Amino acid sequence: HMRRICACLPSILKYRNWELAFSNYAHGSSINTFYRQCESTGPNVIIMQDNSNHIFGGFASESWKQHKLFYGNGD
C-alpha cells in the first residue's frame, strides 16, 4: 500500500524514508498518546482501516499537535 500512497504525495516527499510513528496495536487508542508520538514527525501520512476493512487516510503537511484553530500550509 505504501508504494501506491507515496505516488500521490508531493514530489519532495515521495522518496522519504517513511517510518511508523503511531499504531493502535503498539501504542493503544489514546488521542494524547497519538499527539505525543507524532508531535515532531514533520509531514506525515495517516492510514486507517475500519471494521469493514476499508482503508482510507490523508496527508498532513505538518506534525500533529493539539490546537484550537486550523494550522498547516494547505498541502
Side-chain angles (χ1 to χ4, degrees):
H1 293 295
M2 198 61 199
R3 233 178 290 145
R4 289 174 46 201
I5 291 168
C6 284
C8 300
L9 294 175
S11 297
I12 195 165
L13 298 174
K14 285 184 181 183
Y15 305 105
R16 178 180 172 179
N17 184 23
W18 292 97
E19 297 178 14
L20 182 65
F22 179 84
S23 166
N24 281 5
Y25 297 112
H27 302 104
S29 58
S30 166
I31 190 67
N32 290 327
T33 302
F34 170 81
Y35 285 128
R36 195 169 40 255
Q37 290 294 120
C38 300
E39 69 183 348
S40 298
T41 58
N44 58 83
V45 175
I46 187 166
I47 303 167
M48 295 161 267
Q49 184 172 5
D50 67 14
N51 291 334
S52 299
N53 291 322
H54 296 107
I55 297 173
F56 55 98
F59 169 73
S61 58
E62 296 188 18
S63 299
W64 291 86
K65 60 185 174 184
Q66 292 182 350
H67 202 283
K68 292 180 181 181
L69 302 172
F70 169 84
Y71 65 93
N73 63 15
D75 280 345

